[in-house]
Amino acid sequence: MLAALDLAAQAEEAGEVPVGAVVMKNGRIIGRGYNRPISAADPTAHAEVMALRDAALHLGNYRLAGCTLYVTLEPCVMCIGAIFHARIARLVFGAVDLKTGACGSVIDLPTEMRLNHHLQVSGGILAEEGGERLKRFFAKRRKLALEQSANENRS
C-alpha cells in the first residue's frame, strides 16, 4: 500500500485526483498506476485500470489470476468491473469513497453472488493517509475555484 500511496502523490503532482494502485504477484509489484483521466483525456484512466493494464502487459495476459490489487481509494463501479474481468484474487483498498465506492460504501458489487467472479476484499488499510491526501487535494481545489471566482467578479 505504501507504493500505491507514492503513486497517489505522483497523481497529485500531475494535477490529478491523488489515487494510486499497484498489482502484486508472488510478493513482487508487476503493475503500477495512478489517476490520469485529465492528462490522458480518458475517463477510464483511473489508477486501478492503469495498474491492471501495466500488470497485463508485464504478464502478457489480460487475466491476472493470483494477483492482489492495492489501491488507495475504494474502487468505483467501472474499476471493480475491470478488476472482475482481470480475475484479480484479492483487493486491498485504503479510504472509503462515500460518493462512488462500489465495495460497500454506495454499492457492494464484490458480494453480489449473481456475478461470475468473486474475490477477497479488505478495506481501510492506511485509509487515513490516503483519505487525508484526498481531503487536502479537494480543499485546495475548492479554494482555487473560490479565488478565481472572486477575481472574475472584480473584473
Side-chain angles (χ1 to χ4, degrees):
M1 186 62 84
L2 294 174
L5 286 166
D6 287 344
L7 289 163
Q10 288 181 40
E12 185 173 18
E13 289 169 15
E16 301 277 358
V17 175
V19 179
V22 297
V23 177
M24 294 192 70
K25 184 165 186 152
N26 300 325
R28 290 186 28 244
I29 294 175
I30 61 163
R32 299 172 192 273
Y34 59 83
N35 266 7
R36 298 193 55 231
I38 298 166
S39 59
D42 179 356
T44 69
H46 288 196
E48 300 93 324
V49 172
M50 303 308 291
L52 293 173
R53 288 175 182 166
D54 191 36
L57 286 173
H58 178 86
L59 293 180
N61 192 339
Y62 74 105
R63 298 287 197 208
L64 303 175
C67 293
T68 299
L69 173 68
Y70 292 85
V71 61
T72 59
L73 182 66
E74 179 182 1
C76 68
V77 171
M78 176 188 70
C79 290
I80 199 67
I83 291 163
F84 286 164
H85 285 289
R87 300 299 193 256
I88 291 289
R90 182 171 174 236
L91 167 66
V92 179
F93 68 87
V96 297
D97 185 344
L98 299 175
K99 294 183 179 182
T100 64
C103 297
S105 293
V106 175
I107 190 169
D108 196 353
L109 289 176
T111 63
E112 177 53 63
M113 297 314 295
R114 294 175 291 178
L115 295 172
N116 69 336
H117 180 67
H118 303 281
L119 67 157
Q120 180 185 359
V121 178
S122 303
I125 310 304
L126 296 179
E128 192 171 314
E129 290 84 340
E132 285 303 315
R133 180 179 298 280
L134 286 159
K135 286 177 190 171
R136 284 192 311 268
F137 175 82
F138 285 112
K140 187 176 177 182
R141 222 176 194 184
R142 284 189 297 275
K143 182 180 176 192
L144 286 172
L146 285 172
E147 290 171 358
Q148 287 175 343
S149 178
N151 288 338
E152 289 172 3
N153 289 337
R154 286 187 207 134
S155 299

